Amino acid sequence: MTTWRTNYTTSDLWRSLKYLWPVFWINSFFDRYTGGSQRPVFFDIGKTVPALTLITEQQAIVKEELEIVLAARSSIPRYHDLDFLQFSISGKIDKEKDWKVLMLYAMGERPAGNRSLCPKTCELLDNVPGLFQAFFSILDAGKSIPLHAGPYRGYLRYHLALKIPTKNPPSLHIEGQQYVWQVGEAILFDDTFYHEVVNKADEDRVILVVDVLRPLPPLAHLANRLIMQYATRYIYAKGVLRASALIARFSKAARRCDSRKPYPG
């Protein structure tokens, strides 16, 4: 008699389903050139994406325009309002605290209203070859970000620290390594490794996040650019972000309706 296994877990299901996910096969193709499981976590910015060094060097411009951005903070969406797929890392824990994101570039999409707040910063970004995504990341005091990993191996992520608490500064934990942000410093890393942000600070953390196409040999680079220009732009940047805006409006309307309901009794 065959005995069927009864303790099939969610993790088992995910391991089975991942082979049906196109991104798994795309990442497997890229891993021929990235080093696969032995690929580096952190990268030298000047050697890997030299154009990003200009943003680091011109950070005074970014910091000046950041003050204008923060003055409009109340209208900046939470990450999971902008992208509902991010709810598990943005809205599930520390619910009373926010992780807000001001998107400046998303796979070819340029939100004009957001960019009008920081035109000089956007000019710097537009001069970065292979720009994939860019946004200000505003993390409330004490708001941590749980363990997660980026899904797509085709880009690398740059952080420029703009406002960092001096007492108990937040830290990035990735692949057994810990990085503590310091004002004015920049890093470049592979965010497809599982990572988390531990934040016990009493002040907010603000960084500029820039995703750029990962340097790859010509054939893989062409495939990466085509995926970015068509698949990610029209499925994610246009589809998910628009759907998220609609969901956010419905959620806000529902909360208003709930607040108007009389208490029972």
Side-chain angles (χ1 to χ4, degrees):
M1 179 184 294
T2 302
T3 303
W4 293 97
R5 184 178 167 195
T6 58
N7 60 337
Y8 197 79
T9 66
T10 303
S11 297
D12 293 326
L13 179 61
W14 167 246
R15 280 193 290 269
S16 300
L17 291 178
K18 72 178 183 180
Y19 297 107
L20 301 178
W21 198 26
V23 175
F24 171 82
W25 296 106
I26 295 169
N27 285 343
S28 296
F29 170 63
F30 288 153
D31 277 347
R32 296 181 180 183
Y33 313 102
T34 66
S37 61
Q38 301 303 311
R39 66 190 187 280
V41 177
F42 291 97
F43 295 79
D44 183 294
I45 296 173
K47 293 179 180 178
T48 311
V49 189
L52 288 173
T53 59
L54 182 61
I55 295 179
T56 309
E57 292 167 357
Q58 298 294 321
Q59 62 182 272
I61 293 172
V62 181
K63 289 177 180 177
E64 181 180 352
E65 292 191 327
L66 175 62
E67 297 306 316
I68 300 171
V69 168
L70 292 178
R73 181 171 180 162
S74 61
S75 62
I76 297 175
R78 297 172 299 180
Y79 198 4
H80 59 280
D81 289 334
L82 179 68
D83 175 0
F84 67 88
L85 297 176
Q86 307 303 328
F87 179 78
S88 63
I89 60 172
S90 171
K92 200 169 183 179
I93 67 168
D94 297 331
K95 295 180 181 179
E96 73 285 359
K97 300 168 185 175
D98 293 333
W99 177 12
K100 292 194 167 189
V101 164
L102 185 77
M103 191 65 66
L104 303 176
Y105 185 90
M107 301 98 180
E109 297 297 300
R110 294 175 169 84
N114 294 354
R115 291 168 67 92
S116 68
L117 297 174
C118 47
K120 293 179 182 178
T121 298
C122 291
E123 186 177 344
L124 289 172
L125 292 169
D126 289 342
N127 287 323
V128 176
L131 183 64
F132 186 77
Q133 185 174 232
F135 56 89
F136 284 113
S137 172
I138 305 166
L139 198 63
D140 276 359
K143 172 81 169 178
S144 292
I145 302 174
L147 195 68
H148 65 288
Y152 183 56
R153 204 92 80 227
Y155 67 85
L156 297 175
R157 174 155 289 186
Y158 165 93
H159 281 183
L160 174 62
L162 301 171
K163 283 183 175 290
I164 305 297
T166 54
K167 184 179 179 181
N168 293 327
S171 56
L172 173 71
H173 296 247
I174 180 169
E175 280 295 288
Q177 301 182 54
Q178 177 180 335
Y179 174 80
V180 179
W181 287 279
Q182 297 184 48
V183 173
E185 289 192 0
I187 55 171
L188 183 68
F189 66 101
D190 182 342
D191 94 323
T192 61
F193 285 107
Y194 276 96
H195 57 284
E196 63 182 335
V197 173
V198 176
N199 184 9
K200 298 180 181 179
D202 295 327
E203 299 176 69
D204 299 342
R205 183 220 67 172
V206 184
I207 61 174
L208 177 68
V209 178
V210 184
D211 295 335
V212 293
L213 294 185
R214 181 192 289 267
L216 292 166
L219 179 60
H221 174 74
L222 176 61
N224 197 17
R225 182 166 288 278
L226 289 173
I227 291 167
M228 188 273 287
Q229 288 179 340
Y230 297 102
T232 57
R233 181 176 184 181
Y234 289 98
I235 294 173
Y236 179 83
K238 287 183 178 291
V240 172
L241 297 185
R242 286 179 181 174
S244 297
L246 186 62
I247 289 169
R249 282 200 296 271
F250 277 123
S251 297
K252 189 178 292 185
R255 287 195 297 270
R256 281 200 300 267
C257 289
D258 287 341
S259 66
R260 292 171 186 167
K261 289 179 180 178
Y263 287 102

